[in-house]
Amino acid sequence: MKAIIPVAGHGTRLEPHSNYTQKCLLPVAGKPILAHILDRITDVGVNEVVLIVGHHGDHVREFCKSYNKNMLFTFVEQKEQLGLGHAVGLGLEDVGDPALIILGDSIFEMNYLKFVSSQKNSIGVFEVPDPERFGIVELDGTQITQFVEKPENPNSNLAIGGIYWILSQQKLQNALSYLYENKIQTKNEFQLTDALQHMLLLGEEFTTSMIDNCLDCGIPGTLLSTNKELLKENFIHPKSTVENSVLSNVTIMENCTIIDAELENVIMLPGAIVSNCKFKDKIIGYNETHKHIEYAI
């Protein structure tokens, strides 16, 4: 089974840290976001992963070499940022085989085996109190009748989470080709939801699968809340030094130094140094000159 994971974006909301590494490789609960995603799909029959790379794609390639599972990785470069639909399209093949599509900046807690066993196209969704901020699906019973991007007057509170089960790569590829040929864009980009809507209009059936927990990692605040939720205990890399410090809900990566500090819900990136300080809800990493010094956002 094939999975497509787009990880080409720069991650501007996670700057300055995303300037120096791909955002999907930022750590949460002791390991990269991408590792959490891969861990969740290895046991449901996924044996091929196509990663759509761009910004710091070399870092993604190096990480996958070290990911110690029986997984075939393929890398496709997205040379222009033309939207999620365009990115996903780069990983599709002109075949009738299914594909699991997962965005690279969220960790989804759900029944993956049930999801990839669906006999219909399925979209992972979760309930939100403010659906006007999201792409949503409208339903008739259990069937999706429309995909709507950030509706002004939403008829549903089911937000599209960022995980998709598509029964035919070829049909999605054809829908994306329709968007390209007719220059159908939303916010100057080729959107995956527009392609799915076109498939729907052609008679393809879509259903929903509930996401139990959508752990977003796309901005500092949600990265930190995800870190706190996934941590069972502090993660402190054995190659880091901690002296005379109080730590709670922390991820401390390799070669960090912590002296006389109090840290709560903190992620320290490799090589970061803190001393004589108190931090809460912070990512501590690099400054603009890429020196390993105190820096927090």
Side-chain angles (χ1 to χ4, degrees):
M1 186 190 306
K2 175 179 180 177
I4 300 171
I5 308 178
V7 290
H10 186 286
T12 54
R13 294 180 296 176
L14 285 164
E15 290 179 347
H17 311 302
S18 58
N19 290 336
Y20 309 117
T21 191
Q22 222 301 316
K23 65 176 180 176
C24 72
L25 299 180
L26 289 171
V28 57
K31 57 186 173 183
I33 298 163
L34 182 57
H36 287 279
I37 295 171
L38 294 173
D39 288 349
R40 283 159 174 75
I41 64 175
T42 53
D43 297 330
V44 296
V46 175
N47 54 13
E48 177 188 1
V49 176
V50 180
L51 290 138
I52 312 304
V53 297
H55 177 66
H56 286 311
D58 54 331
H59 294 185
V60 177
R61 290 181 175 91
E62 285 302 310
F63 166 77
C64 290
K65 286 180 183 178
S66 66
Y67 188 77
N68 193 23
K69 298 285 176 67
N70 294 323
M71 191 81 75
L72 173 64
F73 291 104
T74 303
F75 306 93
V76 181
E77 184 178 2
Q78 186 184 26
K79 296 181 180 179
E80 294 182 87
Q81 297 290 305
L82 298 177
L84 178 59
H86 176 260
V88 169
L90 294 174
L92 296 170
E93 295 178 274
D94 191 19
V95 295
D97 298 336
L100 175 65
I101 301 166
I102 311 176
L103 302 194
D105 58 2
S106 293
I107 300 166
F108 301 105
E109 303 284 12
M110 63 186 301
N111 188 331
Y112 281 86
L113 185 59
K114 181 179 179 182
F115 188 58
V116 300
S117 299
S118 174
Q119 298 303 303
K120 295 181 180 178
N121 301 295
S122 189
I123 309 298
V125 298
F126 62 105
E127 295 183 349
V128 294
D130 48 355
E132 63 276 0
R133 293 181 52 242
F134 297 85
I136 68 161
V137 296
E138 296 181 358
L139 301 180
D140 180 5
T142 61
Q143 303 300 304
I144 295 176
T145 58
Q146 191 168 6
F147 296 91
V148 187
E149 185 66 31
K150 296 181 180 178
E152 291 184 7
N153 299 296
N155 295 319
S156 163
N157 69 339
L158 293 177
I160 300 169
I163 182 167
Y164 313 80
W165 173 243
I166 303 299
L167 292 182
S168 170
Q169 295 179 56
Q170 185 181 60
K171 289 182 178 180
L172 178 54
Q173 189 178 63
N174 290 343
L176 287 165
S177 295
Y178 177 82
L179 300 186
Y180 305 150
E181 291 164 5
N182 293 277
K183 297 181 173 56
I184 298 173
Q185 294 180 299
T186 300
K187 295 184 178 178
N188 298 315
E189 293 184 332
F190 294 106
Q191 300 293 350
L192 182 59
T193 48
D194 289 337
L196 299 177
Q197 179 66 22
H198 183 67
M199 290 174 66
L200 194 66
L201 293 174
L202 291 178
E204 289 297 307
E205 291 187 323
F206 288 83
T207 187
T208 58
S209 292
M210 292 303 298
I211 297 170
D212 298 323
N213 200 358
C214 183
L215 300 169
D216 178 48
C217 301
I219 60 175
T222 58
L223 185 70
L224 287 162
S225 62
T226 293
N227 180 66
K228 186 175 182 179
E229 183 152 351
L230 291 179
L231 274 175
K232 294 181 173 61
E233 58 185 24
N234 290 334
F235 176 87
I236 303 173
H237 196 281
K239 291 185 179 180
S240 285
T241 300
V242 180
E243 296 179 4
N244 193 34
S245 297
V246 178
L247 309 179
S248 174
N249 293 315
V250 296
T251 285
I252 311 298
M253 301 307 288
E254 65 270 23
N255 303 318
C256 290
T257 301
I258 306 166
I259 301 172
D260 298 321
E262 185 176 335
L263 306 180
E264 181 182 350
N265 194 30
V266 163
I267 297 173
M268 287 184 68
L269 304 185
I273 301 169
V274 295
S275 63
N276 299 300
C277 62
K278 182 177 180 179
F279 281 137
K280 180 179 180 180
D281 301 328
K282 297 292 183 183
I283 301 168
I284 301 171
Y286 304 119
N287 73 346
E288 286 79 358
T289 58
H290 201 192
K291 294 179 181 177
H292 294 146
I293 65 171
E294 289 186 17
Y295 191 88
I297 60 174

